[in-house]
Amino acid sequence: MKKTIRDFDLNNKKVLIRCDFNVPIKEGKIVDDNRIVESLETINYAINKNAKVILFSHLGKVKEEKDKKSKSLKIVAERLSELLNKSVVFVPFTRGPELESAIDKMAPKDVLLVENTRFEDLNGKKESKNDFELGQYWASLGDIFINDAFGTAHRSHASNVGIASNIPSGIGFLIEKELKELSILDQPNRPYVVILGGAKINDKIEVVSSLVKKADKILIGGGMAYTFLKSKGIEIGSSIVDLDSLEFAKQTLDDYSDKIVLSIDAKVTKEFSNNSNYKVVGINEMENDDNGLDIGPKTIELFKSELKTAKTIFWNGTLGYSEFSNYADGTKEILQFITSNDVNATVILGGGDTVAASKVFGYKDKVTYASTGGGATLEYISGKNLPGIDIINNK
Ligand code: AMP
């Protein structure tokens, strides 16, 4: 058993909390603040126990100097301050005298947010490669480390594994809740059906080979399907694809043809836009400039027939580019179906975009559990270890 935040005396201590504030931002606005809301329980607990609360998080990927503007956590500090109903000191640096003196000035119950940890990636990927000196430096800013960022627990970064290697550590309430809720999938009621979609194909595709052993069926739609379809020699036009994974996809299909169900039709368009013309075509009828942005009606019916008798359903990745209203039907209809009386299953959603879609379309409150993790949730439920949790002190 891992130590939790409840196992520490936080009074007057500098408590470093790794949160997952990696929220979707469009046109300078937070589109969905779910991950900030999910962090509140741990932060409020630390405030109530008189801690000096120092928060870390990443936001997106920071590859070039110019990314800093759109990837600053300042906007998160503002939203967090509204949600906590108290001021949050935002330090626009990841290290240095300004950060250290802001921490020195903190009184118990104060909350401070450090700038996006991935700004350190501009400096030789120090955050993402878990640079030893960086983990040691961040740890030196506090007395206790609490990891509550489930969404990045599958990564070994300086802001989780690095800090935890240097000072006493525990998990927060969100990680505790995620582990408890996802344990349903250790011994799922069967049939256990997994739905996979989305666009981060190379992050997720390898998990298919272990998930396929646990699940009774895997339904693959969304951007994820096209790598599998192409590996079978099907024309996929300009649809999203991971060319490096074609061989893997082909092998997985050969090994598990009885378990994997792929989309059989698609809604295609010639331009990546919600305003361009679209049509539904059979999966073998795509032209070389067609972009498949949603599953078609036949796939929706096929997936429903597989889901009808399921007792456990796990879903990661939307079934189309559901941010465009013309390509949201697949995701919407399947969400509607699995939360209706036609299906009597435990339904677990994983991943920021999938959960955001369920919220936008009005189904989030109808599922059994919505996990904050995408890749982390997938790795965990397929039986892999999560380094960000493994490193935490045992009781
Ligand atoms: P992920 O982070 O892998 O769960 O991907 C979620 C994203 O995948 C969402 O923003 C979707 O709009 C996008 N997506 C789903 N299906 C497609 C598709 N067929 N083509 C392009 N993007 C897609």
Side-chain angles (χ1 to χ4, degrees):
M1 284 284 272
K2 293 295 172 191
K3 281 198 171 167
T4 80
I5 191 167
R6 285 188 227 90
D7 294 312
F8 295 93
D9 172 11
L10 306 184
N11 187 24
N12 207 15
K13 298 272 174 27
K14 286 181 279 183
V15 180
L16 310 180
I17 307 179
R18 175 55 160 102
C19 298
D20 179 2
F21 292 146
N22 186 27
V23 289
I25 294 175
K26 290 216 171 101
E27 286 154 19
K29 290 208 175 80
I30 297 175
V31 185
D32 180 12
D33 64 1
N34 181 46
R35 283 179 163 162
I36 309 178
V37 172
E38 293 280 0
S39 306
L40 295 176
E41 190 180 357
T42 298
I43 298 170
N44 274 321
Y45 178 89
I47 296 170
N48 290 335
K49 294 285 175 187
N50 267 331
K52 299 173 184 175
V53 184
I54 300 157
L55 306 173
F56 290 84
S57 176
H58 77 285
L59 177 63
K61 288 190 174 141
V62 183
K63 292 180 182 157
E64 309 170 76
E65 198 60 35
K66 71 172 170 47
D67 294 338
K68 280 181 154 181
K69 197 162 173 251
S70 60
K71 299 289 157 61
S72 170
L73 280 174
K74 186 163 186 283
I75 186 173
V76 168
E78 286 159 6
R79 182 74 190 117
L80 180 63
S81 167
E82 285 167 13
L83 290 167
L84 289 173
N85 200 14
K86 77 191 263 88
S87 72
V88 171
V89 174
F90 174 67
V91 179
F93 302 98
T94 48
R95 60 167 87 211
E98 288 90 346
L99 174 61
E100 290 154 29
S101 86
I103 292 175
D104 282 345
K105 287 191 200 120
M106 288 177 83
K109 296 188 188 290
D110 281 354
V111 180
L112 179 150
L113 175 63
V114 180
E115 183 56 282
N116 184 352
T117 53
R118 288 198 184 157
F119 280 22
E120 289 284 341
D121 279 351
L122 290 175
N123 187 7
K125 290 214 156 235
K126 287 202 157 118
E127 156 72 330
S128 298
K129 290 199 168 154
N130 186 15
D131 176 76
F132 179 75
E133 179 273 330
L134 182 59
Q136 211 175 32
Y137 170 69
W138 279 337
S140 76
L141 303 172
D143 304 304
I144 295 161
F145 174 63
I146 299 299
N147 190 7
D148 212 22
F150 186 72
T152 41
H154 59 316
R155 309 267 187 234
S156 181
H157 287 176
S159 64
N160 56 7
V161 173
I163 303 179
S165 309
N166 287 286
I167 51 174
S169 61
I171 55 174
F173 293 108
L174 176 58
I175 289 197
E176 200 181 18
K177 181 172 83 174
E178 293 274 7
L179 297 179
K180 181 170 162 276
E181 296 288 346
L182 294 176
S183 68
I184 297 172
L185 301 178
D186 285 346
Q187 279 164 334
N189 286 331
R190 293 183 183 276
Y192 171 27
V193 181
V194 171
I195 309 171
L196 282 184
K200 283 200 213 92
I201 306 163
N202 68 349
D203 279 8
K204 306 199 280 203
I205 198 161
E206 300 234 336
V207 179
V208 175
S209 57
S210 33
L211 261 187
V212 81
K213 295 186 190 114
K214 292 198 145 203
D216 297 300
K217 281 280 163 74
I218 300 203
L219 317 181
I220 304 183
M224 191 80 168
Y226 294 104
T227 302
F228 287 90
L229 292 165
K230 190 174 172 69
S231 81
K232 289 172 59 163
I234 291 173
E235 170 67 65
I236 60 159
S238 61
S239 308
I240 190 168
V241 67
D242 176 17
L243 295 174
D244 293 339
S245 300
L246 288 178
E247 202 134 313
F248 172 84
K250 184 167 188 329
Q251 190 62 49
T252 312
L253 284 178
D254 287 348
D255 293 347
Y256 298 101
S257 57
D258 53 330
K259 283 197 174 185
I260 296 178
V261 181
L262 292 175
S263 38
I264 53 172
D265 60 353
K267 209 184 242 186
V268 300
T269 179
K270 305 284 183 197
E271 273 169 56
F272 184 74
S273 154
N274 201 31
N275 301 321
S276 52
N277 292 333
Y278 59 82
K279 60 179 180 184
V280 172
V281 295
I283 218 64
N284 287 305
E285 297 161 5
M286 286 178 79
E287 293 171 4
N288 63 10
D289 54 353
D290 277 340
N291 188 352
L293 288 183
D294 198 5
I295 54 172
K298 289 194 175 130
T299 307
I300 295 177
E301 288 314 311
L302 174 67
F303 284 6
K304 281 185 184 175
S305 69
E306 296 289 349
L307 291 160
K308 201 169 172 43
T309 53
K311 288 279 169 292
T312 309
I313 297 169
F314 173 78
W315 182 351
N316 172 279
T318 51
L319 294 174
Y321 197 87
S322 58
E323 293 92 332
F324 287 168
S325 56
N326 286 341
Y327 306 102
D329 287 351
T331 303
K332 248 196 250 179
E333 282 206 32
I334 298 295
L335 271 170
Q336 190 277 330
F337 184 68
I338 60 177
T339 53
S340 73
N341 290 336
D342 291 332
V343 178
N344 182 17
T346 296
V347 177
I348 299 187
L349 305 181
D353 290 302
T354 315
V355 174
S358 75
K359 200 166 163 182
V360 170
F361 303 137
Y363 297 100
K364 185 171 174 241
D365 296 334
K366 297 192 173 135
V367 301
T368 314
Y369 184 63
S371 171
T372 57
T377 308
L378 273 174
E379 295 207 6
Y380 182 69
I381 67 164
S382 65
K384 293 202 178 154
N385 287 343
L386 302 182
I389 297 177
D390 286 350
I391 190 76
I392 299 299
N393 294 151
N394 291 312
K395 288 210 191 211

